[in-house]
Amino acid sequence: MDANMNQLLKWSIENSEATRNDPTAVTDPKAERPSGRGINAEALASLMGGPSDADLMREAMAAILSTDISLHNKLVAFDNFEQLIETIDNANNMESLGLWTPLVQQLESEEAELRKMAAWCVGTAVQNNVKAQDRLVVLGAIPTLVKLAVHDPSQAVRRKAIYALSSEVRNFQLGLDKVLAALPEELGDTKKLDAGDMDGIDEIMEKLREGAKQI
């Protein structure tokens, strides 16, 4: 059974039992209602026939990839996508929805605005999220992000790529090791650093930010 439908069923049973145990819940409109467990927004959307977050994420990515959508509308779709994946459950659903690969591919878009938004979304997805951090390593996207952070002609892209790298490496050793290995020698002179060393990570990211200002 779909997870949302399962939650709706549980909610219905709980509230039916509450009503059965308290007949005034139906007959007396002034009676205080039992505080049954609520339904989350996605389950309610499922009940009402509206799109789920998963549907909205797929639709946003479809718009981003479409050749019939204007750049402006692609950026709107990207903004919507970024807001959706601020929720860790949605970020973790990206893999099962097949959204990670097309997102990473947008890091190499010819449009600077799309590269920027892709890096922004990556940074949002991996922030404090080990599952997403690991997925980024598996997809081999870290060298691409480092290239954007160091060499992209757009400062806005460089800044968002640095944000994505900063989110990827914190408290995630494998990601940090991959970033250090991909950095130019003058930036990655610290070849061994603990992922829990926030001061050390901040120092590296600050070097990247300073370099990004000078291009």
Side-chain angles (χ1 to χ4, degrees):
M1 181 184 292
D2 176 82
N4 287 329
M5 294 306 296
N6 187 48
Q7 185 181 13
L8 287 168
L9 178 60
K10 288 181 179 178
W11 181 87
S12 176
I13 292 171
E14 289 173 358
N15 282 271
S16 294
E17 289 177 347
T19 302
R20 187 165 55 248
N21 293 333
D22 180 12
T24 65
V26 173
T27 60
D28 182 0
K30 296 182 180 180
E32 183 178 353
R33 300 296 190 265
S35 57
R37 185 169 56 192
I39 314 177
N40 68 31
E42 189 165 0
L44 185 59
S46 178
L47 176 64
M48 302 302 292
S52 66
D53 281 2
D55 293 330
L56 294 173
M57 290 162 65
R58 281 190 291 253
E59 289 172 6
M61 186 57 69
I64 292 163
L65 300 178
S66 174
T67 57
D68 299 323
I69 301 292
S70 68
L71 176 60
H72 171 76
N73 287 331
K74 286 176 185 281
L75 295 176
V76 170
F78 243 138
D79 186 59
N80 291 339
F81 187 83
E82 193 275 334
Q83 292 182 57
L84 285 163
I85 62 173
E86 287 178 352
T87 303
I88 193 168
D89 288 341
N90 287 343
N92 285 337
N93 282 339
M94 287 172 59
E95 181 178 356
S96 62
L97 295 172
L99 299 177
W100 263 113
T101 296
L103 174 60
V104 166
Q105 288 171 344
Q106 288 300 303
L107 293 171
E108 301 185 84
S109 171
E110 293 181 358
E111 292 284 352
E113 286 293 315
L114 295 180
R115 295 196 302 275
K116 180 190 78 172
M117 291 302 299
W120 190 355
C121 287
V122 167
T124 297
V126 302
Q127 194 169 51
N128 301 315
N129 186 341
V130 174
K131 182 178 178 180
Q133 288 171 310
D134 184 65
R135 191 62 189 163
L136 196 65
V137 170
V138 170
L139 290 170
I142 287 177
T144 301
L145 283 169
V146 170
K147 182 177 71 174
L148 293 179
V150 177
H151 299 300
D152 197 276
S154 165
Q155 185 180 42
V157 174
R158 296 194 298 273
R159 290 175 62 185
K160 289 304 181 185
I162 293 167
Y163 160 67
L165 291 171
S166 179
S167 297
E168 169 68 9
V169 303
R170 294 180 189 276
N171 296 309
F172 185 59
Q173 193 64 48
L174 181 58
L176 177 58
D177 292 344
K178 294 289 186 182
V179 169
L180 291 176
L183 286 174
E185 288 187 7
E186 64 271 19
L187 293 172
D189 51 1
T190 304
K191 291 302 180 185
K192 190 61 182 176
L193 182 67
D194 190 278
D197 182 354
M198 296 299 114
D199 289 339
I201 290 172
D202 286 343
E203 184 178 342
I204 291 173
M205 294 303 144
E206 187 57 34
K207 286 182 182 179
L208 281 171
R209 293 187 188 98
E210 287 302 315
K213 294 177 184 177
Q214 298 171 13
I215 297 178

